[in-house]
Amino acid sequence: RTTCSFVVGLKDCLNEAGHMNSSDTNANGWDGCARRTWCNSIFRNAIPSALRGIFKQHKNKASAGSGSSTIKTSNDYFALPAEIEVFGTRSYSASGEGSQFKYYETASNRIKNINGGAAYWWERSPRSSGSTIFCIVNSYGSATTGTASNAYGLAPFGCI
C-alpha cells in the first residue's frame, strides 16, 4: 500500500535542530529539499534494523514551492507533517496537501520540545506565497513560517 494505515511519529523533536535546505529556497518544495533526503536516508538508517522493515513507503503531498499551487506527490519512508496534517486548516500552505492527523486534533500535542524546552519545529509545506520559506509550528503550538536555512526542530513520522 502507499497510504498510511498507522502513523508513527515523535512526541518531541530530536535533540538537534536542522534546516530544510542549506540556502533560503523552497524551490521544488518537499520533493526537492535536503530535509526529505535526510529523512529517507540518514534518519531511516538510524532506526534499528530489526524495526526498519516495518516502516513502509507512503505517499506525501506538498506544493512544488516557489509560490506554486501545483501539488507534487513523493514516496517516502519518513517525512515531516504538512501544515494541514498538524492544524486541520491552512494559514500559509497550498491547498491539497492532505488532512489532519488525529493526534494533532488536541492542540497541546502540537507543542514539541528539544532537550526539555518548547521549540519551533518544521513542517514539509512550503509557504504558498514566496520562494524562501517553509511552514513551521512555533513553541506555543501555533502556525507560522521560517526561512529554509534556519535551524528548527525535527519530528519525522513514518507509516506501518
Side-chain angles (χ1 to χ4, degrees):
R1 287 190 264 168
T2 57
T3 58
C4 290
S5 296
F6 190 82
V7 176
V8 178
L10 301 175
K11 178 186 181 302
D12 287 313
C13 294
L14 299 172
N15 286 336
E16 291 185 31
H19 57 262
M20 292 297 276
N21 284 311
S22 59
S23 62
D24 286 335
T25 181
N26 68 16
N28 298 312
W30 170 251
D31 196 50
C33 79
R35 187 55 53 198
R36 177 176 177 250
T37 302
W38 176 89
C39 281
N40 288 291
S41 59
I42 294 170
F43 182 78
R44 181 174 183 244
N45 289 331
I47 303 293
S49 59
L51 296 175
R52 195 175 307 136
I54 68 171
F55 290 94
K56 307 300 180 201
Q57 264 193 328
H58 58 279
K59 293 182 186 249
N60 286 298
K61 294 179 180 181
S63 87
S66 298
S68 173
S69 61
T70 300
I71 299 297
K72 296 175 92 176
T73 301
S74 61
N75 290 310
D76 300 303
Y77 286 98
F78 293 94
L80 302 178
E83 181 184 37
I84 191 84
E85 291 169 340
V86 175
F87 295 101
T89 60
R90 297 176 307 103
S91 295
Y92 304 102
S93 61
S95 179
E97 294 185 337
S99 58
Q100 189 173 35
F101 290 164
K102 185 103 177 125
Y103 178 74
Y104 292 121
E105 288 178 3
T106 301
S108 61
N109 289 342
R110 300 174 196 153
I111 299 170
K112 294 189 182 289
N113 296 309
I114 295 178
N115 295 315
Y120 284 57
W121 55 281
W122 285 113
E123 298 166 323
R124 73 172 180 270
S125 303
R127 183 175 176 144
S128 62
S129 61
S131 59
T132 63
I133 296 171
F134 281 85
C135 295
I136 58 177
V137 180
N138 71 20
S139 58
Y140 298 101
S142 299
T144 191
T145 60
T147 54
S149 66
N150 286 350
Y152 296 122
L154 304 167
F157 74 92
C159 294
I160 57 174

